[in-house]
Amino acid sequence: MRPLRVLVVEDNPDDEALVLLELRRGGFRPEALRVQTAEAMREALAGGAFDVILSDFSMPAFTALEALKVLQETGRDIPFIVVSGSIGEYEAVDAMRAGARDYFAKDRLVRLGAAVERELAEARARRERARSELDRTLLALASEVLTEPEDLDERLRRLVWLPVPRVADWCTLRLYEKGLGGLRLVALAHPEPARAARMWEVDQRSPLTVDMDFGPARVLSTGESELVEDALARPRPVTHASEYVQVLRELGFRSAVHAPLRGRSGVLGVLSLAMDGPRRLGPEDLSFAEELARRAGLVLENTRLFREVQDAVRLRDEFLTVAAHELRTPLTTLRLQLGSLLHHANEDQLAPELVTRVERSMRQVLRLGTLVESLLDVSRLTSAEPSLSPERFDLAEAVRAVVERYAAEAEGVGCELRVSARPGLWGRWDRARVEQAVAALVSNALKFGPGRPVEVEVTREGPVGRVQVLDRGIGIPEEQLERIFERFGRAVSSRSYGGLGLGLYLARRAAEAHGGRAWAQTREGGGARFTLELPLEKEERA
Amino acid sequence: MSRPLLVVDDDADLREALEEVLRDAGYEVLGASNGKHALEVLGAMPLQPGLVLLDMMMPVMDGGGFARAMRQMPQWRDIPILVFSASANARQVAEEIGACGHLRKPVDVDTLVEAVRKHMRA
């Protein structure tokens, strides 16, 4: 026998007994309340929950049609069935039109049980459809609210108002605070300001800490969501939280659901829904709260990751500033010392062998300097556009200066390093970056084409100055032509050829930062051709 | 008699290397290890320097602090400052403190001497 809460709208107790008998026969254990006026019916509906309403068609002071209106005023979806002694076809049609689900003559009640059964199932299906529709709408709104550009606290404050009052009377969001050892209430929604204020107050005075074994505090420690259908019926008494619990009782909390906001490192907070009066929350409310909490958790986690990234970038920049200073200072001293020694080589009559050694040391210091600059650049450039310090100079002259610097190295690897550059290719560029880019191309050519000639050509091509470096080295496979310009990109094994894999990457970044470009081609007959193009000064564009 | 040169850098080896190179180039050079020290040296110099070669990142008083303090003294206001910094935005720093130019570390002997010659006040 299944329990059934029935509201009987009927003036005759005998007829009520008849109807209830029929329901028992249909497998129900009815709990009935009988009313026969509009006021009594309103009161009954406000005070309790009913599964079905069975109504006489016509009573001395009330009718089924009026009863239907009363029901509709409440906005509740309760199956309404007319049970009448004398109901004609017209009356029956009127009742159905007004919203009754079915009608029965009192002398033919055999099918009543089956009809109630069907109506209960249909009502449940309607409620579930309406609920899932509501959940979908609210969750879509939640996603909108959570991704608004406002600050996070404001977004959370708006979020908790979404389920109130349609899903629950209360919605609260608490976030874990390490220093507090528990949860801090950050957002709360309740239609009555006074009750909301009371809740804020108790949370301020005695926040929920991890050791409390109930509600949000327990969700925080277990990470599992929880449905409390009836707090008063809780089997275990709640300890450690007497004041909190007392206030909850005073506020009339009966039923609640709590769901965790999860992050990578554990529970970030707890979202709760609660009811004031006799209405209970159920499994569908728990699923809703879980989904809402999941979305809020994602946003919270992302916000935190974003802050971490910002901090990391700031730290990196600080580190780079210090590293630049620490690395460049000793390099400066070495360069000045060795440079000064070389200047004095003649007057101090240094042995030629010593001069060679000083020169070799100087080359290594220069090389170290280039490496340091590449590393500092690449760490800085990966996130932002390189900042340029443009000055006006002649590209041909700059390329010649770079090539000159590599004369000794070229000789060392047996490369004939030839340069053809017509002077007068003026433009405004960052000299250090342009020289760095040209140096990367020349140094690459020497590295991969030892013993073969390397040619450097500087020409004007309409509005741009073009630097080409041609070698007869190992060449580049077609599929690697682009990859070698990537950061740490290389076409050969790092075991055979050293280097950081940064030179070409920086060369292209430098070219692009100036509005130019850099690319590589394979050469007929073997070897590679690297090209760097930079826009010339406007008046120079012939 | 040409004016002396004041070199301000906290790194002793670098400061001495700078002093040697510049002496070789024919300048009279005084050194200071930070901004505060540089103000003291400046106060004790009988003839104002023709140029201050100034590192930016230093303990006690950094390059920016020194430049501000020096500019507040009317008799020192017009001494040119050449910023000598390891920072990538040395040029911007130089503009901010009203320097006559900047050199980026590391630098070679010729570039250094050339820059000093260019900015030195007679």
Side-chain angles (χ1 to χ4, degrees):
Chain A
M1 300 274 268
R2 276 168 302 139
L4 184 73
R5 292 163 297 180
V6 192
L7 183 62
V8 183
V9 185
E10 174 67 74
D11 60 319
N12 184 345
D14 290 345
D15 285 350
E16 181 195 13
L18 190 67
V19 163
L20 296 185
L21 180 68
E22 195 53 44
L23 287 174
R24 278 191 207 99
R25 206 174 283 162
F28 293 104
R29 181 160 45 80
E31 275 172 41
L33 179 66
R34 186 167 61 89
V35 294
Q36 49 185 321
T37 61
E39 297 78 67
M41 183 177 172
R42 273 195 200 97
E43 203 173 302
L45 286 173
F50 295 95
D51 301 311
V52 66
I53 299 172
L54 301 176
S55 173
D56 194 2
F57 188 73
S58 170
M59 292 151 279
F62 204 23
T63 68
L65 296 180
E66 287 162 358
L68 270 166
K69 273 197 191 115
V70 170
L71 171 63
Q72 280 151 6
E73 280 165 19
T74 67
R76 283 158 80 178
D77 179 14
I78 304 171
F80 188 102
I81 297 173
V82 176
V83 182
S84 174
S86 54
I87 184 164
E89 221 168 279
Y90 289 113
E91 289 91 340
V93 169
D94 281 350
M96 298 292 276
R97 265 193 197 136
R101 304 287 309 172
D102 207 344
Y103 67 92
F104 287 88
K106 282 176 182 166
D107 52 356
R108 271 181 302 204
L109 287 176
V110 190
R111 283 175 28 256
L112 181 63
V116 167
E117 190 88 51
R118 182 199 66 222
E119 287 306 320
L120 290 181
E122 281 184 13
R124 194 160 49 238
R126 279 199 303 278
R127 268 199 303 276
E128 280 167 11
R129 267 200 308 280
R131 177 56 196 261
S132 64
E133 182 69 23
L134 175 64
D135 283 3
R136 265 203 306 281
T137 310
L138 291 180
L139 289 171
L141 282 172
S143 292
E144 270 177 39
V145 164
L146 283 169
T147 48
E148 293 278 318
E150 298 156 333
D151 102 325
L152 184 65
D153 288 356
E154 182 57 32
R155 282 182 271 163
L156 296 179
R157 279 196 286 275
R158 287 179 53 193
L159 180 78
V160 293
W161 276 103
L162 293 176
V164 175
R166 293 178 71 185
V167 176
D169 298 326
W170 294 87
C171 179
T172 58
L173 200 142
R174 295 177 169 86
L175 294 182
Y176 176 60
E177 219 178 272
K178 208 171 173 186
L180 190 69
L183 293 161
R184 164 91 61 213
L185 185 61
V186 296
L188 180 158
H190 188 280
E192 290 173 42
R195 293 162 81 95
R198 185 85 178 98
M199 188 73 199
W200 278 115
E201 187 195 316
V202 66
D203 197 273
Q204 282 286 310
R205 202 166 47 236
S206 57
L208 292 168
T209 49
V210 186
D211 57 313
M212 295 182 184
D213 188 28
F214 84 104
R218 186 161 61 210
V219 173
L220 177 66
S221 52
T222 63
E224 299 294 326
S225 54
E226 190 177 36
L227 165 63
V228 183
E229 284 193 63
D230 187 351
L232 297 182
R234 183 184 284 279
R236 296 169 294 103
V238 170
T239 51
H240 303 303
S242 51
E243 190 194 359
Y244 220 109
V245 172
Q246 205 181 321
V247 172
L248 295 186
R249 291 226 175 99
E250 172 198 320
L251 289 171
F253 269 67
R254 281 289 292 275
S255 184
V257 296
H258 310 288
L261 275 65
R262 293 202 181 86
R264 256 184 329 169
S265 52
V267 179
L268 305 174
V270 179
L271 179 117
S272 307
L273 301 176
M275 286 296 191
D276 279 335
R279 267 167 74 205
R280 308 257 174 102
L281 292 169
E284 69 277 10
D285 300 300
L286 186 66
S287 318
F288 172 74
E290 282 171 346
E291 184 54 29
L292 203 57
R294 192 184 68 80
R295 293 180 191 209
L298 273 177
V299 168
L300 220 63
E301 182 75 358
N302 285 345
T303 309
R304 196 150 76 172
L305 286 177
F306 182 64
R307 274 185 206 144
E308 276 176 27
V309 168
Q310 279 180 320
D311 284 351
V313 168
R314 192 178 41 75
L315 273 180
R316 186 202 65 181
D317 287 347
E318 276 171 26
F319 169 79
L320 282 175
T321 308
V322 174
H325 185 262
E326 292 304 303
L327 292 168
R328 283 173 183 148
T329 301
L331 278 171
T332 312
T333 312
L334 276 170
R335 257 170 93 162
L336 290 176
Q337 292 280 298
L338 294 172
S340 170
L341 268 177
L342 286 175
H343 274 263
H344 284 283
N346 284 333
E347 48 192 274
D348 292 356
Q349 293 183 327
L350 281 184
E353 194 193 303
L354 280 182
V355 173
T356 311
R357 288 186 191 180
V358 173
E359 281 172 346
R360 196 180 295 139
S361 304
M362 185 62 143
R363 277 201 298 279
Q364 294 304 313
V365 167
L366 290 176
R367 190 170 147 199
L368 202 52
T370 310
L371 287 173
V372 164
E373 294 310 313
S374 304
L375 279 176
L376 290 175
D377 271 351
V378 83
S379 338
R380 202 182 312 275
L381 292 191
T382 41
S383 56
E385 276 300 301
S387 60
L388 300 176
S389 304
E391 55 184 296
R392 188 171 182 270
F393 63 91
D394 177 3
L395 184 61
E397 176 265 321
V399 171
R400 271 191 194 284
V402 172
V403 171
E404 216 163 275
R405 256 183 264 154
Y406 278 91
E409 194 176 323
E411 208 184 312
V413 297
C415 278
E416 191 192 337
L417 185 54
R418 288 189 296 236
V419 56
S420 70
R422 284 242 331 267
L425 295 176
W426 292 92
R428 287 186 61 79
W429 308 290
D430 185 313
R431 191 179 195 114
R433 294 210 186 280
V434 169
E435 290 192 357
Q436 191 182 34
V438 175
L441 302 189
V442 173
S443 129
N444 253 24
L446 296 178
K447 185 157 127 192
F448 294 110
R452 313 265 173 76
V454 169
E455 293 154 59
V456 182
E457 293 168 4
V458 190
T459 51
R460 179 202 304 276
E461 301 294 330
V464 298
R466 178 184 286 177
V467 181
Q468 293 194 89
V469 179
L470 302 97
D471 66 53
R472 285 286 177 204
I474 60 171
I476 309 154
E478 198 69 29
E479 70 276 8
Q480 300 278 14
L481 283 174
E482 273 304 300
R483 217 183 81 79
I484 54 174
F485 285 94
E486 287 169 17
R487 190 160 54 124
F488 309 121
R490 52 168 73 242
V492 291
S493 155
S494 57
R495 271 182 230 157
S496 325
Y497 294 90
L500 299 175
L502 295 176
L504 293 178
Y505 167 75
L506 291 173
R508 177 172 276 182
R509 292 279 307 217
E512 287 173 354
H514 286 96
R517 53 196 186 128
W519 72 96
Q521 290 159 296
T522 27
R523 256 180 110 185
E524 264 183 46
R529 173 202 301 266
F530 283 88
T531 309
L532 177 75
E533 281 186 355
L534 294 172
L536 294 167
E537 224 172 38
K538 280 211 172 65
E539 54 267 37
E540 287 297 313
R541 293 178 190 171
Chain B
M1 184 177 156
S2 73
R3 289 179 181 276
L5 193 77
L6 178 58
V7 173
V8 193
D9 200 305
D10 60 318
D11 188 286
D13 278 350
L14 176 55
R15 193 174 61 244
E16 278 155 28
L18 286 168
E19 289 176 20
E20 279 164 24
V21 167
L22 292 169
R23 271 189 205 113
D24 284 349
Y27 295 100
E28 185 197 336
V29 190
L30 279 92
S33 58
N34 61 57
K36 187 163 170 286
H37 185 200
L39 289 174
E40 288 160 16
V41 173
L42 208 52
M45 285 171 85
L47 181 62
Q48 276 185 8
L51 183 71
V52 177
L53 190 62
L54 182 66
D55 182 25
M56 295 309 293
M57 203 192 277
M58 291 180 293
V60 188
M61 181 191 273
D62 64 11
F66 168 79
R68 273 190 302 279
M70 191 187 91
R71 301 276 191 233
Q72 275 175 15
M73 306 298 282
Q75 71 273 30
W76 295 338
R77 188 172 291 154
D78 300 325
I79 302 174
I81 292 175
L82 182 60
V83 164
F84 188 44
S85 161
S87 162
N89 50 8
R91 183 188 149 112
Q92 192 191 331
V93 170
E95 277 167 20
E96 278 165 17
I97 66 163
C100 60
H102 73 280
L103 276 175
R104 259 191 66 187
K105 293 177 187 175
V107 71
D108 60 39
V109 173
D110 293 340
T111 313
L112 171 70
V113 173
E114 171 69 30
V116 166
R117 190 158 291 148
K118 183 173 157 197
H119 294 291
M120 190 82 174
R121 190 175 57 154

